[in-house]
Amino acid sequence: EVQLQASGGGLVQAGGSLRLSCVASGFTFDRYAIAWFRQAPGKEREGISCIENDDGRTMHADSVRDRFTISSDKSKNTVFLQMNNLEPEDTAVYYCAALREQCGWVYYGGKFYHTKSPEHWGQGTLVTVSS
């Protein structure tokens, strides 16, 4: 059974940090990319970070670049999202998702376009940033 277990959300003050974890099971971790998406109330879902486990390539949306870092521990089938200097605008439910082989994110005109959909989704973890 494929599972993606996201955790690490919580309440933090602006300027603070959190680290989200996504533990994967039920599929060959090295053959998938893992992405983090978030959805704030009343807003569309946004892809923010992705890592390709075959070569370690990472990408981050402009809204989080220089503040968030995605990394992978293949020995634990786990992807992390280190979030620093959090802002109230980062308040959202964060989801991890698995895409076969590559992220499929194409950067153009200041944003990423997603050329394919994830195969598997985890449950969300809520991040709330107070001002």
Side-chain angles (χ1 to χ4, degrees):
E1 179 186 3
V2 172
Q3 286 192 336
L4 291 168
Q5 186 72 33
S7 63
L11 173 64
V12 64
Q13 288 188 330
S17 299
L18 283 174
R19 189 175 80 156
L20 305 184
S21 299
C22 177
V23 181
S25 61
F27 60 92
T28 306
F29 192 69
D30 283 359
R31 296 182 182 176
Y32 280 77
I34 304 294
W36 286 97
F37 293 80
R38 68 184 181 185
Q39 189 163 21
K43 294 188 177 181
E44 292 187 354
R45 185 173 61 200
E46 175 189 18
I48 55 173
S49 299
C50 191
I51 185 166
E52 295 174 345
N53 281 314
D54 58 351
D55 62 5
R57 181 186 179 206
T58 62
M59 52 201 76
H60 298 276
D62 286 356
S63 58
V64 304
R65 189 172 294 129
D66 298 330
R67 298 187 299 122
F68 291 10
T69 303
I70 190 170
S71 63
S72 179
D73 185 342
K74 294 182 182 181
S75 69
K76 297 180 180 179
N77 281 13
T78 301
V79 169
F80 302 100
L81 185 67
Q82 178 66 42
M83 307 187 296
N84 297 329
N85 194 20
L86 283 160
E87 302 168 353
E89 293 74 22
D90 295 317
T91 294
V93 177
Y94 285 69
Y95 302 88
C96 58
L99 305 99
R100 190 177 294 267
E101 296 184 348
Q102 296 179 332
C103 299
W105 291 12
V106 177
Y107 189 80
Y108 180 79
K111 63 180 292 185
F112 279 105
Y113 291 87
H114 302 163
T115 62
K116 61 182 181 180
S117 298
E119 290 190 7
H120 311 292
W121 288 91
Q123 91 294 354
T125 184
L126 176 63
V127 172
T128 304
V129 185
S130 63
S131 56

